[in-house]
């Protein structure tokens, strides 16, 4: 069963089974692909699908392609049209995950900058059960860093580091994982950023802590500051601070707001989902589903118009 009827490949919609890439492409041989993960939320009452912060994702896609020196010259308007087309063609009326990908196609060598292939795939994405809380461990794998494989760039190859940490955690019986930087500070999870509430203050590792500059992280900083009236601390975080947190959660386009119940078997707070985390999660869902008109500028409606 294909996950979707159609995928956008190099500017046209093709049936799922025809969305293929040759084995000899630099993307396959050397991991030279960059991508985004965008969420679409179906609001049944309004009969509308809202894409969350699509322009910000397309800006980051361009940044990733530039750093990796790919000849990516598509306008954001062109990619936005492709995203809308693929969602509409598949007639999704449920929550979805959209993946725009840009890769070095052709048969070039490791340093090839083109030709560029691009695609937009979308699949249904039901809510994760970890929305109700996850157990977490600190990995013995270190996070990649800005001077080797930059985590700020969302490149396919970066996820080898994520895979090592994620699989180790899973085999050790944890739901999820946090990685440390080269300097031993808290960085991020394998596909999500980290927040904690400590001494009543919301804290998140700063953007130089070997993290992806997460769009959800930026969103939650805004929402938390609105909700609490206090600035979110963006700073280096030590490992033992994790064991002293009143609340903790991961965040990302896929993870949304994922509460952490324990870290290295130390209970976070009471070992239940924290009160502020729960309120933030509710607020996040209200915003992304278009249940509130506040922050409507973050939403791109799919059906009708454009
Ligand atoms: N860190 C990593 C390593 C990720 O893969 C993701 C998911 N894109 C995030 C953080 C969260 O980023 P965003 O909120 O932009 O989805």
């Amino acid at each position: 069963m294909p996950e979707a009827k159609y995928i956008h490949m190099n500017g046209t919609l093709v049936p799922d089974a025809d969305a293929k890439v040759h084995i000899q492409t630099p993307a396959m041989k050397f991991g030279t692909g960059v991508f985004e993960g965008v969420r679409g939320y179906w609001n049944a009452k309004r009969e509308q699908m809202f894409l969350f912060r699509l322009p910000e994702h397309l800006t980051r896609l361009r940044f990733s392609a530039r750093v990796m020196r790919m000849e990516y010259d598509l306008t954001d308007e062109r990619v936005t049209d492709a995203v809308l087309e693929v969602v509409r063609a598949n007639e999704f009326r449920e929550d979805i995950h959209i993946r725009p990908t840009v890769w070095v196609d052709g048969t070039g060598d490791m340093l090839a900058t083109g030709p560029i292939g691009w695609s937009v795939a979308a699949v249904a994405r039901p809510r994760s059960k970890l929305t109700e809380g996850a157990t977490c461990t600190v990995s013995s794998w270190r996070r990649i860093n800005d001077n080797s494989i930059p985590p700020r760039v969302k490149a396919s190859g970066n996820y080898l580091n994520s895979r090592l940490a994620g699989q180790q955690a899973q085999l050790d019986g944890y739901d999820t994982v946090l990685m440390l930087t080269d300097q031993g500070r808290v960085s991020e999870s394998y596909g999500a950023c980290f927040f904690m509430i400590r001494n009543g203050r919301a804290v998140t590792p700063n953007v130089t802590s070997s993290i992806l500059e997460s769009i959800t992280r930026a969103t939650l900083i805004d929402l938390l500051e609105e909700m609490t009236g206090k600035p979110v601390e963006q700073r280096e975080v030590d490992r033992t601070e994790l064991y002293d947190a009143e609340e903790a959660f991961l965040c990302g386009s896929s993870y949304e707001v994922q509460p952490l119940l324990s870290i290295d078997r130390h209970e976070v707070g009471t070992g239940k989902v924290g009160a502020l985390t729960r309120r933030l999660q509710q607020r996040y869902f209200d915003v992304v589903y278009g249940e509130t008109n506040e922050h409507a500028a973050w939403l791109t409606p799919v059906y009708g118009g454009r």
Side-chain angles (χ1 to χ4, degrees):
M1 253 308 263
E3 287 194 272
K5 282 181 279 190
Y6 300 105
I7 293 185
H8 227 286
M9 279 291 278
N10 298 318
T12 46
L13 283 172
V14 300
D16 179 275
D18 296 342
K20 291 180 181 160
V21 173
H22 199 279
I23 190 68
Q24 289 290 66
T25 59
M28 272 304 299
K29 290 190 290 191
F30 308 113
T32 47
V34 294
F35 69 102
E36 279 303 317
V38 186
R39 294 301 299 273
Y41 289 95
W42 174 245
N43 184 322
K45 227 173 17 207
R46 295 175 64 178
E47 294 252 306
Q48 185 57 279
M49 173 84 78
F50 293 110
L51 308 182
F52 191 60
R53 304 198 78 168
L54 178 63
E56 288 85 345
H57 282 282
L58 298 184
T59 299
R60 190 169 66 188
L61 185 64
R62 264 190 289 106
F63 167 76
S64 296
R66 184 166 71 248
V67 177
M68 286 298 150
R69 300 187 193 279
M70 297 180 185
E71 292 164 21
Y72 174 58
D73 56 7
L74 291 171
T75 63
D76 289 358
E77 288 70 30
R78 179 71 192 93
V79 183
T80 299
D81 284 343
V83 169
L84 294 172
E85 276 166 36
V86 80
V87 178
R88 288 173 185 156
N90 284 295
E91 300 177 274
F92 284 118
R93 277 171 166 67
E94 62 202 303
D95 296 345
I96 57 171
H97 184 266
I98 303 163
R99 187 183 162 111
T101 307
V102 173
W103 70 92
V104 183
D105 211 343
T107 55
D109 63 15
M110 197 189 293
L111 307 188
T113 56
I116 291 301
W118 67 288
S119 66
V120 186
V123 296
R125 175 64 63 86
R127 174 82 17 91
S128 158
K129 69 173 186 352
L130 297 181
T131 305
E132 290 309 310
T135 61
C136 182
T137 185
V138 175
S139 185
S140 63
W141 293 99
R142 289 296 165 103
R143 186 70 178 131
I144 47 178
N145 73 65
D146 202 50
N147 293 304
S148 58
I149 298 180
R152 184 174 285 109
V153 169
K154 197 165 168 61
S156 312
N158 294 19
Y159 288 82
L160 295 177
N161 174 242
S162 296
R163 179 180 164 92
L164 290 168
Q167 285 195 331
Q168 180 191 45
Q170 203 177 62
L171 288 168
D172 288 346
Y174 298 92
D175 296 320
T176 193
V177 69
L178 280 169
M179 284 179 276
L180 304 179
T181 65
D182 274 350
Q183 288 73 37
R185 309 275 184 250
V186 176
S187 174
E188 63 177 342
S189 186
Y190 65 136
C193 281
F194 174 74
F195 282 78
M196 67 179 174
I197 312 300
R198 181 160 185 246
N199 300 324
R201 305 285 294 265
V203 182
T204 189
N206 53 17
V207 292
T208 52
S209 292
S210 295
I211 66 169
L212 180 71
E213 286 181 72
S214 152
I215 292 159
T216 319
R217 175 182 173 280
T219 302
L220 297 183
I221 289 172
D222 284 355
L223 296 181
L224 275 165
E225 292 185 348
E226 280 170 24
M227 287 165 62
T228 65
K230 285 189 270 187
V232 173
E233 287 179 21
Q234 302 181 48
R235 62 168 175 80
E236 288 189 341
V237 173
D238 269 343
R239 177 174 186 161
T240 50
E241 290 188 87
L242 303 175
Y243 308 146
D244 189 41
E246 290 112 50
E247 302 187 25
F249 56 90
L250 299 180
C251 76
S253 301
S254 287
Y255 283 63
E256 300 161 326
V257 178
Q258 184 177 103
L260 297 179
L261 305 178
S262 67
I263 303 176
D264 290 339
R265 307 285 182 213
H266 288 286
E267 280 192 347
V268 176
T270 61
K272 305 231 163 57
V273 178
L276 182 57
T277 306
R278 187 59 95 195
R279 276 209 294 139
L280 180 65
Q281 197 181 45
Q282 192 52 54
R283 176 83 177 132
Y284 184 74
F285 285 137
D286 284 350
V287 169
V288 298
Y289 279 100
E291 295 289 349
T292 167
N293 272 330
E294 291 162 65
H295 301 297
W298 285 342
L299 309 180
T300 303
V302 170
Y303 295 113
R306 198 182 159 106

